[in-house]
Amino acid sequence: MGMTMTQKILAAHAGLDSVSVGQLIQAKLDIVHGNDITTPVAINEFEKAGFKDVFDKDKVSIVLDHFVPNKGRSRADLPDHSCRPCGTVPRQSRIHSPWHRLPGS
């Protein structure tokens, strides 16, 4: 049986002739997206793993769309959904993505 369009894309990005359902692959990524829910969690895990920099500064996109704008300062700093890491880490990592722009960048 042939592969689906998704399988063809994944196979091409993994440098494989084919992929199958349930197969684990290592693929080259076109872009990595995060939002204000997933990014703080990812940053925490990234730092716990000891990483210091992103894999490609031009291929990271962070979209703040769930908690921005915050209802107030007290909500903005809550640890379970703080947007602060979504701004500080990209600035420190010098992420260039056209999808992520910070004031003054």
Side-chain angles (χ1 to χ4, degrees), residues 40-41 74-83 85:
V41 175
S74 62
R75 298 279 300 172
D77 289 330
L78 288 175
D80 61 335
H81 64 268
S82 175
C83 296

Side-chain angles (χ1 to χ4, degrees), residues 7-46:
Q7 288 171 317
K8 290 176 184 179
I9 292 168
L10 290 172
H13 282 73
L16 301 171
D17 293 329
S18 65
V19 296
S20 59
V21 174
Q23 179 180 355
L24 296 177
I25 62 169
Q26 285 190 332
K28 292 185 178 182
L29 305 174
D30 293 326
I31 193 160
V32 176
H33 292 286
N35 62 41
D36 43 359
I37 293 176
T38 61
T39 299
V41 175
I43 290 170
N44 185 45
E45 294 303 314
F46 187 84

Side-chain angles (χ1 to χ4, degrees), residues 88-105:
T88 56
V89 169
R91 193 175 284 120
Q92 292 165 351
S93 297
R94 303 194 187 289
I95 290 173
H96 306 153
S97 170
W99 296 278
H100 186 265
R101 288 289 179 250
L102 297 169
S105 64

Side-chain angles (χ1 to χ4, degrees), residues 45-81:
E45 294 303 314
F46 187 84
E47 290 173 347
K48 282 194 326 192
F51 294 109
K52 300 294 182 202
D53 209 357
V54 296
F55 76 105
D56 187 328
K57 293 168 179 43
D58 295 320
K59 294 185 176 185
V60 177
S61 167
I62 300 171
V63 179
L64 305 179
D65 65 341
H66 292 85
F67 300 120
V68 174
N70 291 110
K71 293 179 182 178
R73 181 81 178 176
S74 62
R75 298 279 300 172
D77 289 330
L78 288 175
D80 61 335
H81 64 268

